[in-house]
């Protein structure tokens, strides 16, 4: 293959979500041509799959500065900074207008199937860095295509690869066969069909992050409604409950994130959910009525449930990057320099200092994993972090090492470790029981006291 000069090639950005489009905006601001390959039919396609969920970040924390600069000449008006959008709002009012400005620099229905160096598989050393990247993708009509790139920024996220229910990290026995009664997403209960699926049912919620909190709060609201009477959740946690289980509460610098944990606690305290702790799912069985019985690794068998909501996190899809030389942590599958900062074995509230090209570089020069994908299996990502990542990377690709190394972001501390929240009025949340990086507190679940704990 006769490749043009590397500097004449675009930077391929994989994914037209928040981090990917921000990367494109920063590249444009630096005079570098981006080419965004998006598997979905529109920008923010993955975000639209949780359009019903409200974020715990405000608009002021969800718009990238370079993107705002790119949008300004179009007459775009930034939503009120202090308000909380839903996923649908974020996509409709920001991501899709931004993609519209980028125009033909975004290709839709383009599913990336492989990335390598031209003429070099991952084994070959000779003259490797002098070769451009080659990105293979499949278009919506099934045709295979390829494009050359000077650099690759993978912002494809982790939404398409949720983690299974099994406590070992593998699917539990019978989990695949029970797929008709399992979802791996927070259900949108305003949809009549979805609401009918869960109304009046017994539902197991597996997980301990913000998505699980959201599901518990939604199900509690359903149980309080006329058409949802009898709805009851069994909340399954692999660990015990401590003062940090429900996050930072009123101590959280993102108030809606703190309110999210408090709403989940209220669902349990009010009897709309029961907590089962120290339970690692081993097997899904069916009773005589077709309901699911969860069996733990310790042999415990839970009462039958009609539905299971598995919210155990996400993991990166690395299959199409297999010909690249990535430096990934063996546990988190995050870049090796970043992983110690976000390791959930060490950091229960996920605070991480702003970081950029230095922490995100790999043995393969000029390839970067950004956004949620950069965190591997860690569940603590914020949009602001992704915007800082891509700002630094764009500066580095432009040769501005000083700007690449400079920190231009202050992150909030404490609180729930996980994905999006749901509340419009976090100030209405009940008093906090304390949280991560706060003083330990005693937590009451129903009428039984739980052990105290904290960071």
């Amino acid at each position: 293959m006769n490749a043009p000069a590397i500097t004449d090639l675009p930077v391929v950005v994989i994914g037209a979500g928040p981090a990917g489009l921000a990367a494109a905006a920063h590249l444009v601001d630096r005079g570098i041509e981006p080419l965004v390959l998006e598997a979905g039919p529109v920008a923010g396609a993955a975000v639209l799959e949780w359009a019903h969920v409200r974020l715990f970040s405000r608009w002021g924390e969800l718009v990238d500065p370079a993107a705002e600069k790119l949008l300004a000449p179009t007459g775009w008006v930034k939503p009120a900074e202090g308000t909380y959008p839903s996923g649908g709002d974020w996509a409709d009012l920001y991501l899709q207008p931004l993609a519209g400005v980028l125009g033909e620099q975004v290709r839709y229905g383009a599913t990336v199937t492989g990335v390598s160096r031209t003429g070099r598989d991952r084994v070959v050393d000779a003259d490797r860095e002098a070769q451009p990247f080659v990105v293979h993708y499949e278009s919506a009509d099934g045709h295979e295509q390829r494009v050359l790139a000077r650099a690759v920024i993978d912002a494809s996220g982790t939404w398409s690869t949720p983690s299974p229910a099994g406590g070992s990290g593998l699917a539990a026995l019978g989990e695949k066969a029970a797929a008709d009664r399992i979802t791996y997403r927070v259900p949108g209960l305003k949809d009549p069909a979805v609401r009918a699926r869960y109304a009046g049912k017994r539902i197991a919620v597996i997980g301990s992050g913000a998505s699980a909190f959201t599901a518990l709060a939604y199900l509690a609201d359903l149980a309080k409604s006329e058409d949802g009477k009898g709805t009851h959740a069994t909340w399954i946690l692999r660990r015990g409950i401590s003062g940090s289980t429900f996050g930072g509460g009123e101590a959280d610098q993102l108030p809606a994130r703190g309110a999210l944990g408090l709403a989940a606690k209220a669902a349990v305290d009010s009897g709309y959910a029961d907590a089962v702790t120290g339970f690692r799912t081993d097997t899904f069985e069916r009773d005589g009525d077709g309901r699911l019985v969860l069996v733990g690794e310790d042999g415990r068998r839970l009462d039958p449930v009609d539905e299971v909501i598995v919210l155990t996190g996400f993991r990166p899809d690395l299959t199409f990057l297999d010909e690249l030389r990535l430096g990934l942590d063996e546990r988190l599958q995050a870049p090796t320099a970043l992983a110690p900062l976000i390791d959930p074995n060490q950091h229960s509230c996920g605070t991480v200092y702003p970081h950029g090209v230095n922490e995100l570089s790999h043995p393969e020069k000029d390839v970067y994993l950004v956004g949620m994908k950069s965190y591997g299996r860690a569940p603590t990502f914020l949009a602001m972090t992704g915007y800082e990542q891509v700002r630094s990377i764009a500066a580095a690709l432009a040769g501005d090492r000083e700007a690449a190394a400079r920190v231009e972001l202050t992150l909030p501390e404490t609180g729930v470790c996980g994905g999006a929240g749901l509340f419009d009025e976090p100030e209405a949340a009940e008093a906090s029981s304390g949280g991560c990086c706060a003083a330990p507190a005693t937590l009451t679940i129903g009428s039984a006291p739980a052990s105290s704990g904290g960071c």
Side-chain angles (χ1 to χ4, degrees):
M1 184 187 304
N2 294 319
I6 291 181
T7 53
D8 295 333
L9 297 172
V11 173
V12 165
V13 179
I14 305 173
L21 292 176
H26 280 278
L27 291 168
V28 169
D29 193 50
R30 289 282 182 171
I32 301 172
E33 180 188 358
L35 175 60
V36 183
L37 301 178
E38 166 57 45
V42 295
V47 174
L48 286 170
E49 292 193 29
W50 48 271
H52 57 285
V53 178
R54 193 162 301 282
L55 285 89
F56 53 59
S57 294
R58 303 175 180 90
W59 269 115
E61 298 144 352
L62 294 169
V63 175
D64 175 81
E68 187 172 2
K69 178 180 177 182
L70 199 60
L71 282 163
T74 71
W76 180 81
V77 177
K78 184 177 181 179
E81 292 199 357
T83 59
Y84 295 87
S86 66
D89 296 333
W90 202 17
D92 294 342
L93 301 179
Y94 170 61
L95 298 177
Q96 291 174 11
L98 177 55
V101 175
L102 292 167
E104 294 184 355
Q105 292 172 314
V106 183
R107 294 182 189 175
Y108 301 104
T111 302
V112 174
T113 57
V115 183
S116 187
R117 294 277 188 177
T118 55
R120 306 288 188 275
D121 62 22
R122 68 182 295 162
V123 176
V124 178
D125 292 331
D127 203 28
R128 186 177 188 86
E129 291 188 1
Q131 307 305 313
F133 292 95
V134 59
V135 180
H136 286 220
Y137 68 96
E138 187 174 290
S139 58
D141 60 8
H143 283 84
E144 294 179 291
Q145 302 191 52
R146 67 186 176 195
V147 63
L148 300 180
R150 60 178 286 190
V152 175
I153 299 174
D154 183 359
S156 59
T158 58
W159 179 256
S160 63
T161 47
S163 295
S168 62
L170 304 174
L173 295 180
E175 183 172 348
K176 294 179 182 177
D180 60 315
R181 290 178 179 259
I182 301 175
T183 184
Y184 298 85
R185 306 288 190 265
V186 176
L189 297 179
K190 291 184 179 180
D191 181 322
V194 176
R195 192 175 184 88
R197 175 176 176 175
Y198 295 97
K201 305 293 180 61
R202 297 191 67 85
I203 303 137
V205 177
I206 305 176
S208 59
S211 293
F213 293 171
T214 302
L216 290 169
Y218 277 178
L219 292 171
D221 285 343
L222 177 60
K224 297 172 189 176
S225 67
E226 281 298 319
D227 63 334
K229 289 182 178 179
T231 305
H232 189 81
T234 299
W235 182 26
I236 300 172
L237 299 96
R238 293 172 179 170
R239 301 178 182 177
I241 291 178
S242 71
S244 63
T245 296
F246 294 97
E250 292 181 345
D252 198 321
Q253 292 183 27
L254 291 177
R257 184 171 61 179
L260 179 58
L262 294 175
K265 179 180 181 295
V268 176
D269 285 346
S270 300
Y272 296 112
D274 297 321
V276 177
T277 61
F279 189 93
R280 296 179 178 272
T281 307
D282 179 76
T283 306
F284 284 78
E285 297 180 355
R286 290 189 189 258
D287 69 3
D289 296 322
R291 295 181 300 173
L292 298 180
V293 177
L294 277 63
V295 183
E297 291 179 353
D298 58 3
R300 278 187 289 170
R301 302 171 64 86
L302 303 185
D303 291 337
V305 294
D306 301 290
E307 298 285 344
V308 179
I309 302 172
V310 180
L311 300 169
T312 53
F314 296 85
R315 53 187 59 180
D317 178 6
L318 302 168
T319 55
F320 60 86
L321 303 176
D322 196 48
E323 290 304 315
L324 299 177
R325 299 175 177 181
L326 301 181
L328 297 175
D329 179 76
E330 61 187 9
R331 294 165 297 173
L332 294 186
Q333 297 175 295
T336 52
L338 176 61
L341 309 178
I342 59 175
D343 187 350
N345 291 298
Q346 304 294 327
H347 305 287
S348 60
C349 54
T351 53
V352 54
Y353 63 75
H355 55 276
V357 68
N358 292 334
E359 293 84 357
L360 297 170
S361 293
H362 294 274
E364 192 80 69
K365 185 176 181 291
D366 290 339
V367 60
Y368 305 98
L369 277 60
V370 303
M372 190 67 222
K373 193 164 186 175
S374 71
Y375 270 40
R377 298 192 183 199
T380 55
F381 189 76
L382 292 173
M384 292 181 289
T385 299
Y387 297 159
E388 176 69 359
Q389 290 177 340
V390 298
R391 181 205 62 78
S392 174
I393 289 168
L397 291 173
D400 189 347
R401 302 301 301 185
E402 180 182 352
R406 189 168 58 239
V407 173
E408 297 185 3
L409 174 67
T410 301
L411 288 171
E413 297 180 355
T414 78
V416 177
C417 297
L422 79 150
F423 297 103
D424 288 299
E425 298 178 342
E427 67 276 4
E430 63 182 91
S432 168
S433 63
C436 179
C437 305
T442 299
L443 195 63
T444 300
I445 301 298
S447 59
S451 59
S452 62
C455 288

